Amino acid sequence: MSYDEHYVKSVVRSIPDWPEPGILFRDITPIFQDPRASRMVANAFIDRYMQMDITHIACIDARGFLFGAIIAHQLNKPLILVRKKGKLPGETIHQDYTLEYGTASVEIQKDAVTAGDKVVLIDDLIATGGTALAACTLINGLGASVVEVAALIDLPDLNGSQKIQDTGVPVY
Ligand code: AMP
């Protein structure tokens, strides 16, 4: 089944003024209610990362987990979780950042990755890029490197993917 961008776009639901006035929220939950769409999306990432020299899949709380878990499972790679602050037990490091709507902090367990690991970081959507950049900072802070940041949806008007690329990390 090849990736049909038009079809996948038609499945994503756009909700104006949620969670705050002025935000057009791109709701990906219908993708997971549509096995054809979810399979198409997962396969696009799996095909790409099957060819690459990577050691780990990292994914961002919470919708990134949906994609990350499928991809890591299919590629037989370890999955690491970048979570909202306060959710992970054990020793962690956190990074604060600004979001399209508000501020937040993400966290990772200190033993999630180690020096030399090559990580693909997955989320559902890149808006300002703040979340992904904070996640990259955490992964890099543990000595690993982010080989690529990947998301289903980019909001290029908010310039986030450009900001990530400006740090030398490719965005897919
Ligand atoms: P950012 O850090 O600004 O790139 O925001 C990306 C994160 O916030 C992702 O985890 C998205 O799930 C969420 N997000 C930001 N803006 C939107 C939007 N317009 N629609 C859906 N999710 C969004």
Side-chain angles (χ1 to χ4, degrees), residues 91-172:
E91 280 196 65
T92 59
I93 52 171
H94 71 271
Q95 179 70 37
D96 301 327
Y97 65 101
T98 51
L99 201 64
E100 189 186 0
Y101 39 86
T103 61
S105 187
V106 283
E107 197 164 51
I108 195 173
Q109 283 166 327
K110 274 189 177 171
D111 61 0
V113 285
T114 187
D117 288 342
K118 297 175 208 161
V119 181
V120 172
L121 175 67
I122 311 245
D123 202 0
D124 64 328
L125 179 146
I126 297 169
T128 67
T131 314
L133 281 170
C136 288
T137 301
L138 292 175
I139 291 164
N140 292 330
L142 294 172
S145 56
V146 178
V147 173
E148 188 157 89
V149 172
L152 174 61
I153 301 170
D154 187 23
L155 304 183
D157 292 354
L158 294 171
N159 214 34
S161 51
Q162 188 58 53
K163 265 193 269 170
I164 297 164
Q165 288 174 81
D166 289 347
T167 70
V169 177
V171 175
Y172 178 64

Side-chain angles (χ1 to χ4, degrees), residues 15 20 32 36 60 67 69 73 77 93 136 154:
I15 300 175
E20 285 183 13
F32 292 93
R36 180 173 169 230
I60 299 178
F67 299 105
H73 176 78
K77 299 289 181 194
I93 52 171
C136 288
D154 187 23

Side-chain angles (χ1 to χ4, degrees), residues 31-101:
I31 290 197
F32 292 93
Q33 294 169 316
D34 179 332
R36 180 173 169 230
S38 60
R39 190 173 288 268
M40 243 181 222
V41 170
N43 284 351
F45 291 121
I46 290 160
D47 290 349
R48 179 170 181 81
Y49 296 115
M50 197 175 285
Q51 337 250 352
M52 276 197 198
D53 179 21
I54 60 164
T55 60
H56 292 70
I57 301 291
C59 54
I60 299 178
D61 198 346
R63 290 177 294 270
F65 294 172
L66 300 169
F67 299 105
I70 298 170
I71 296 161
H73 176 78
Q74 287 296 323
L75 295 177
N76 201 30
K77 299 289 181 194
L79 178 71
I80 61 174
L81 306 184
V82 179
R83 296 215 62 180
K84 284 161 190 151
K85 198 176 165 202
K87 300 279 185 187
L88 288 169
E91 280 196 65
T92 59
I93 52 171
H94 71 271
Q95 179 70 37
D96 301 327
Y97 65 101
T98 51
L99 201 64
E100 189 186 0
Y101 39 86

